[in-house]
């Protein structure tokens, strides 16, 4: 998943090519682990490629609630090499026990089939995307992914839009060049299971009000 757009790589096609040419697939799941896919198992689950990805790199700092740390899974030989040669692993402080405990608990919840929070993130995402799209906004990214960038194009417009939203007590951030390509400035939003329908209604109402004021819709 690309963090700025919320779009998903064609992982099944990539795995097909890797198998055709005897290659190994490595993916970064930092914007998928714990909340994307039917039960929160990430892009591999979303694209139905279980057992076809050799190395997975991800974070404990987003949906797993740890705020710091990360992990790599893969073949035992790969893990052994990383333990001996990976500089970030060798020269970083260990992850705090509280972070490890919290992250293990989230993994346990996902393995036990507790997908209620995952379902809520997806439902919130659909409501947000549907309402803004129907209002006339252009949103990028996969329909199921909670990263939902609202495209504005102009950098100054994105900054002004974010300020107008803040004046309505909705905090959003405008992204523009060089963080994203020139001419593709946007408000990058992300849905959460903690958002209520009232929260989403309030946010979308503000988007529509500001969008009309600034001539976006």
């Amino acid at each position: 998943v690309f963090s700025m757009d919320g779009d998903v790589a064609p992982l099944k096609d990539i795995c097909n090519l890797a198998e055709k040419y005897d290659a190994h697939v490595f993916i970064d799941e930092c914007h998928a682990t714990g909340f994307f896919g039917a039960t929160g198992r990430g892009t591999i689950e979303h694209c139905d490629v279980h057992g076809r990805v050799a190395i997975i790199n991800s974070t404990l700092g987003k949906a797993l609630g740890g705020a710091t740390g990360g992990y790599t899974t893969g073949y035992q030989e790969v893990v052994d090499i990383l333990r001996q040669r990976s500089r970030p692993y060798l020269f970083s402080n260990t992850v705090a026990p509280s972070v490890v405990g919290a992250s293990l608990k989230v993994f346990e919840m996902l393995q036990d089939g507790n997908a209620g929070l995952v379902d809520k993130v997806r439902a919130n995402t659909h409501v947000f995307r549907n309402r803004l799209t129907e209002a006339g906004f252009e949103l990028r990214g996969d329909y199921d992914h909670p990263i939902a960038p609202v495209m504005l194009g102009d950098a100054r417009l994105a900054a002004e839009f974010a300020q107008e939203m803040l004046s309505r007590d909705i905090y959003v951030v405008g992204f523009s060049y060089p963080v994203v390509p020139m001419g593709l400035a946007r408000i990058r939003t992300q849905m959460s299971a903690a958002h209520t329908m009232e929260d989403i209604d309030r946010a979308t109402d503000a988007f529509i009000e500001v969008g009309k004021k600034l001539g976006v819709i």
Side-chain angles (χ1 to χ4, degrees), residues 152 155 157-159 161-163 172-176 179 185-188:
L152 298 173
L157 175 60
F161 201 108
Q163 190 60 43
V172 294
V173 178
F175 283 85
S176 57
V179 178
R186 79 279 307 270
I187 301 293
R188 180 185 181 274

Side-chain angles (χ1 to χ4, degrees), residues 6-131:
D7 53 358
V8 180
L11 195 52
K12 185 169 288 188
D13 293 338
I14 291 171
C15 288
N16 290 340
L17 280 173
E19 290 162 4
K20 180 178 178 180
Y21 293 103
D22 195 25
H24 298 291
V25 178
F26 171 99
I27 63 172
D28 180 339
E29 285 285 76
C30 289
H31 294 90
T33 299
F35 61 90
F36 195 48
T39 62
R41 285 167 168 77
T43 314
I44 290 175
E45 181 176 50
H46 180 75
C47 296
D48 191 24
V49 290
H50 288 286
R52 302 178 67 188
V53 174
I55 305 170
I56 303 170
N57 196 70
S58 195
T59 180
L60 305 178
K62 292 183 170 65
L64 300 187
T68 61
Y71 63 90
T72 301
T73 67
Y75 299 128
Q76 186 63 54
E77 295 84 354
V78 172
V79 173
D80 290 343
I81 290 173
L82 289 176
R83 283 177 172 160
Q84 297 299 321
R85 303 296 295 272
S86 171
R87 292 189 177 190
Y89 177 79
L90 293 172
F91 297 109
S92 297
N93 291 332
T94 187
V95 180
S98 57
V99 171
V100 174
S103 298
L104 287 174
K105 183 61 179 178
V106 177
F107 277 127
E108 180 184 310
M109 292 168 64
L110 293 172
Q111 289 175 337
D112 289 344
N114 186 353
L117 294 176
V118 177
D119 292 338
K120 189 175 181 186
V121 171
R122 189 180 305 110
N124 286 351
T125 297
H126 291 170
V127 170
F128 182 83
R129 284 182 173 276
N130 288 342
R131 183 144 192 239

Side-chain angles (χ1 to χ4, degrees), residues 142-180:
D142 189 277
Y143 181 63
D144 287 337
H145 202 281
I147 293 175
V150 182
M151 304 304 295
L152 298 173
D154 181 72
R156 179 173 293 181
L157 175 60
E160 185 178 356
F161 201 108
Q163 190 60 43
E164 287 282 349
M165 292 290 286
L166 186 60
S167 71
R168 292 162 175 76
D169 297 325
I170 305 292
Y171 179 64
V172 294
V173 178
F175 283 85
S176 57
Y177 181 84
V179 178
V180 296

